[in-house]
Amino acid sequence: MGLHVRLSPMEDLGKLLPASYFADDALLVAKKLLGKTLKKGTVSGMIVETEAYITDSASHAFRATKRSKLMRETYGHWYVHFTYGMHWCANITTNKNGAGAVLIRAVEPLTGIAHMKKRRGKECLRDLCSGPSKLCQAFCIDGKDNATEIGETCSVYDAPNISKENIVATGRIGIRTATTLPWRFYIKGNPFISR
């Protein structure tokens, strides 16, 4: 599919996705989010890579804890957590009748690129948002966004669905258990996915 270019990204924003859009199972939402636009302030990007988490052993919702409460009791909310004592990761809660969340792993930068470069201290476009902690830094997503509803601080806008033949499914990365579950999804051929 190659590099995806939008001529006027700010005018190209579709309809703001409501919280109800995320009521489905995380596996469905993770695929549906590919191609949609993530936006916070003047910074935006096309979602090119996601991972689904339900109640598998790699999920925070595997056990009922204070941290997993958002995944177990909400949908359409941001679940932003700190990992390895140094990085933020942005997830959207799913599963109206259960527990789940979708990790936004990577986006293709669209607008506010100068802000992204300054926040990341990087010039290479491909290195701005090609990983969950990178995109949180580029978008200035942190603990203040945790538990907010979609559209409150960070928004996701609709866009045409990516065709099945252009979606690649693999095992999730950066985890220690349940690595064989093919719950990582990305847009085939997109250069902005994580490495």
Side-chain angles (χ1 to χ4, degrees):
M1 203 170 154
L3 193 64
H4 181 86
V5 178
R6 294 182 179 175
L7 297 177
S8 349
M10 292 308 286
E11 294 173 12
D12 196 36
L13 288 179
K15 183 179 73 170
L16 180 67
L17 294 178
S20 59
Y21 182 87
F22 304 92
D24 285 335
D25 183 82
L27 285 167
L28 294 173
V29 176
K31 289 181 266 191
K32 290 194 312 183
L33 279 175
L34 294 175
K36 305 300 186 270
T37 303
L38 174 66
K39 185 176 185 296
K40 184 178 183 187
T42 59
V43 174
S44 71
M46 181 179 71
I47 298 170
V48 298
E49 182 181 358
T50 59
E51 282 182 350
Y53 289 88
I54 306 175
T55 53
D56 57 279
S57 59
S59 173
H60 291 170
F62 183 61
R63 292 183 182 87
T65 64
K66 184 178 178 181
R67 181 166 78 162
S68 70
K69 188 174 181 180
L70 273 172
M71 286 181 69
R72 290 174 166 270
E73 297 181 6
T74 71
Y75 61 91
H77 284 69
W78 286 101
Y79 170 45
V80 182
H81 63 87
F82 209 47
T83 186
Y84 301 117
M86 64 180 81
H87 301 300
W88 293 103
C89 292
N91 304 259
I92 304 172
T93 60
T94 59
N95 294 61
K96 181 178 181 179
N97 298 311
V102 173
L103 171 67
I104 311 299
R105 277 204 65 87
V107 304
E108 178 180 326
L110 294 174
T111 64
I113 292 170
H115 290 298
M116 292 185 192
K117 288 180 176 180
K118 185 176 180 182
R119 290 168 181 166
R120 292 271 301 119
K122 303 281 184 182
E123 283 298 317
C124 177
L125 193 63
R126 290 185 184 186
D127 196 35
L128 295 180
C129 303
S130 57
S133 62
K134 292 178 182 180
L135 84 84
C136 281
Q137 190 177 21
F139 276 71
C140 204
I141 295 173
D142 58 26
K144 294 187 295 294
D145 300 295
N146 187 49
T148 60
E149 192 170 353
I150 284 286
E152 224 175 294
T153 61
C154 304
S155 306
V156 180
Y157 290 83
D158 203 4
N161 289 330
I162 302 297
S163 61
K164 286 182 182 178
E165 58 269 21
N166 284 313
I167 296 176
V168 178
T170 72
R172 296 169 298 182
I173 54 180
I175 55 175
R176 294 185 183 91
T177 63
T179 55
T180 58
L181 294 172
W183 292 357
R184 172 187 175 229
F185 306 98
Y186 64 86
I187 299 175
K188 184 178 181 180
N190 189 283
F192 293 91
I193 65 169
S194 62
R195 301 286 178 243

